[in-house]
C-alpha cells in the first residue's frame, strides 16, 4: 500500500504541472484511485480482524479490491505517460 500511496503522489505531482484540462482529468482519476485504495484498505482491515471461518471469504474480497485498485492505477498512469 505504501507503493500505491507513492504512485498516487507522483500522479498528483504530475497533475500540478499540467494544463487546466489535464489537471481536471488527473483529479478525477486520482479521486477514483483513492476511493479504490480506501476500499482495499477496508477489506484488508476486515481480513486482519476476521475469524478463521470468515477469513477465506474476506481474503478473496480483499484480493479482488486490491486487484481492481491496481488495474485502475495502471490505466490512469498509462493515460498520462
Amino acid at each position: 500500500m505504501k507503493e500505491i500511496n507513492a504512485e498516487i503522489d507522483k500522479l498528483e505531482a504530475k497533475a500540478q504541472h499540467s494544463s487546466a484540462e489535464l489537471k481536471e482529468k488527473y483529479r478525477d482519476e486520482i479521486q477514483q484511485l483513492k476511493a479504490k485504495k480506501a476500499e482495499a484498505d477496508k477489506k484488508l482491515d476486515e481480513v486482519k480482524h476476521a475469524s478463521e471461518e470468515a477469513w477465506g471469504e474476506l481474503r478473496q474480497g480483499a484480493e479482488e479490491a486490491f486487484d481492481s485498485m491496481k488495474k485502475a492505477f495502471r490505466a490512469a498512469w498509462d493515460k498520462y505517460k
Side-chain angles (χ1 to χ4, degrees):
M1 291 310 242
K2 287 181 184 180
E3 273 183 49
I4 298 299
N5 286 333
E7 295 300 324
I8 289 172
D9 289 345
K10 286 180 189 177
L11 277 177
E12 288 176 328
K14 196 170 184 179
Q16 292 293 326
H17 303 289
S18 300
S19 67
E21 183 180 334
L22 275 179
K23 281 182 183 180
E24 185 65 31
K25 289 182 181 180
Y26 274 118
R27 189 174 18 253
D28 291 343
E29 294 288 336
I30 290 167
Q31 286 176 340
Q32 291 176 15
L33 290 171
K34 286 182 176 181
K36 288 188 179 290
K37 182 188 171 295
E39 181 182 329
D41 283 339
K42 181 181 174 186
K43 291 288 184 182
L44 287 173
D45 191 52
E46 288 174 3
V47 168
K48 288 178 187 178
H49 297 95
S51 66
E52 282 189 45
E53 293 174 13
W55 190 85
E57 185 178 317
L58 288 173
R59 185 178 137 251
Q60 181 180 355
E63 287 174 354
E64 289 171 1
F66 188 72
D67 287 342
S68 175
M69 180 187 60
K70 288 192 316 189
K71 287 177 187 175
F73 178 78
R74 282 189 208 119
W77 191 253
D78 287 346
K79 281 184 192 178
Y80 303 110
K81 278 189 173 181

